[in-house]
Amino acid sequence: FLWAASLSLYGALTTPTPLNYKDWIALSLTLFSILLETVSDIQMNNFINLKKQKKTEKVIIDGGLWNWSRHPNYLGEILFWWGLYLFSLSSFKSSDDYRWIVVLLGPIAMTLLIAFVSIKMMEDRQLERKGRAFLEYRRKVGSALLLLPPTFNRLLGRCLYGSDDEDDDDDNINQPQ
């Protein structure tokens, strides 16, 4: 997958072109993605430190960006690869140049890997380790990736995962330890 992800840069590295508006859009998206991933990682590290210092009873981070998405750091990672892809678009001069299809494989591969493998594994582990607390968080923050306002997230969470008072077959779900 990492080899496929590097295809995002193929056009930009093999056909240098002067900067244009597409590059500025690519730069903006790439910088935003780095900022998003950095802020979400800082928030997670702060939460982990609070837990270690026993300054919070929470078992799952649900503040800051984590109230808008269950995986804002992964969203930042995905947007980073799409930003790199946008840099390559400037190198394709004609609509007959089909190299853009090869370049497109990079961000698609990373999006699929993160959305359907990494997040699935992470959420399965969270469910196993944190049980009911994770189920409640998933209801509160329905969006695994997209940054959605908390009000919409709660609505989405209820639609996808049921209401707060529904029984979730608690006998088969581990409680947080």
Side-chain angles (χ1 to χ4, degrees):
F1 273 103
L2 290 179
W3 175 83
S6 65
L7 289 173
S8 301
L9 291 170
Y10 175 77
L13 294 175
T14 58
T15 314
T17 58
L19 290 176
N20 63 42
Y21 75 94
K22 292 177 190 173
D23 294 313
W24 293 110
I25 293 170
L27 179 65
S28 298
L29 179 61
T30 304
L31 289 176
F32 172 75
S33 71
I34 292 168
L35 180 65
L36 177 63
E37 194 166 359
T38 300
V39 169
S40 61
D41 286 346
I42 288 169
Q43 289 175 349
M44 177 59 79
N45 287 336
N46 290 341
F47 176 74
I48 290 169
N49 287 334
L50 287 174
K51 280 177 51 174
K52 286 179 183 176
Q53 297 168 6
K54 303 205 185 294
K55 291 184 178 178
T56 184
E57 296 292 319
K58 293 182 177 183
V59 291
I60 295 179
I61 183 172
D62 62 355
L65 292 171
W66 300 87
N67 195 28
W68 289 65
S69 169
R70 289 197 310 269
H71 302 283
N73 51 347
Y74 285 156
L75 176 61
E77 181 75 18
I78 288 171
L79 292 176
F80 176 79
W81 291 104
W82 283 99
L84 295 183
Y85 163 75
L86 292 178
F87 277 114
S88 285
L89 288 183
S90 297
S91 64
F92 306 128
K93 299 287 186 219
S94 104
S95 58
D96 294 334
D97 189 347
Y98 294 104
R99 290 179 300 161
W100 67 269
I101 295 172
V102 172
V103 173
L104 188 60
L105 293 176
I108 288 175
M110 290 308 292
T111 301
L112 293 174
L113 176 67
I114 291 170
F116 297 106
V117 177
S118 297
I119 288 178
K120 171 81 169 98
M121 289 173 27
M122 176 68 71
E123 294 207 339
D124 287 348
R125 190 171 71 219
Q126 294 286 358
L127 186 58
E128 181 182 318
R129 291 181 180 175
K130 299 182 178 168
R132 177 170 272 297
F134 179 72
L135 290 173
E136 290 170 10
Y137 175 62
R138 197 170 60 177
R139 280 190 207 106
K140 179 181 174 188
V141 182
S143 174
L145 273 174
L146 299 178
L147 292 173
L148 297 178
T151 303
F152 292 117
N153 251 326
R154 282 189 290 280
L155 180 61
L156 179 63
R158 284 189 215 114
C159 289
L160 294 175
Y161 306 111
S163 66
D164 291 337
D165 35 296
E166 284 183 18
D167 183 37
D168 290 300
D169 195 15
D170 290 332
D171 298 333
N172 295 325
I173 297 174
N174 299 325
Q175 295 299 317
Q177 299 173 353

